[in-house]
Amino acid sequence: MKASELFETLKNLQEPKGFYFNNDREMTFQLLESLIVNKERYGYMACPCRLASNDREFDKDIICPCVYREQDVKEYGSCFCGLYVSEEWNSGKIEKEYVPDRRPPEKLTKAIGLD
């Protein structure tokens, strides 16, 4: 699958839910290409901004769109990696600020093999 195909598929699925792609198309397509790489590598589209463990069940919280996206976009206007944003974020109606990672630290410990 090409990034452009993934873009169109996800756009059609996510926009009706109120989640839009970041209008920085270069960054958006880099993230989409990374999702495709992770799909080939792990068999699932793990968030490209987090370390995956190669264990689908363990990583189910970071399969894009991750379980943290809705709260991130609601609170900050953007998800952690900036792929999905609100209309207000894209139009500049809200301030763009740092989105902290909500993933529990113990998930990172396993992903890097320190468990």
Side-chain angles (χ1 to χ4, degrees):
M1 176 179 275
K2 295 180 182 178
S4 58
E5 295 168 327
L6 185 58
F7 178 88
E8 288 304 321
T9 299
L10 293 176
K11 179 180 182 207
N12 292 331
L13 290 170
Q14 300 304 323
E15 281 190 2
K17 298 176 185 177
F19 300 103
Y20 299 85
F21 282 126
N22 189 319
N23 59 13
D24 179 341
R25 290 293 180 245
E26 183 179 342
M27 183 187 86
T28 294
F29 275 83
Q30 287 175 352
L31 289 168
L32 291 171
E33 288 168 8
S34 296
L35 284 171
I36 293 167
V37 167
N38 283 348
K39 172 78 171 163
E40 293 167 357
R41 180 181 294 152
Y42 304 119
Y44 53 94
M45 290 194 307
C47 174
C49 301
R50 295 180 169 103
L51 290 173
S53 69
N54 200 23
D55 177 338
R56 184 184 184 96
E57 183 62 26
F58 186 81
D59 289 339
K60 69 183 177 183
D61 63 320
I62 61 166
I63 295 175
C64 189
C66 74
V67 300
Y68 311 107
R69 176 191 68 167
E70 186 171 345
Q71 188 63 37
D72 286 350
V73 173
K74 182 179 179 182
E75 189 172 337
Y76 298 99
S78 170
C79 70
F80 176 66
C81 63
L83 179 63
Y84 288 106
V85 300
S86 66
E87 281 186 295
E88 296 79 16
W89 193 94
N90 260 343
S91 66
K93 291 180 181 173
I94 62 171
E95 184 179 335
K96 295 176 174 127
E97 57 184 295
Y98 172 75
V99 179
D101 191 357
R102 295 177 191 273
R103 196 170 199 217
E106 59 271 13
K107 293 276 191 166
L108 176 61
T109 303
K110 175 168 176 135
I112 60 175
L114 296 177
D115 61 337

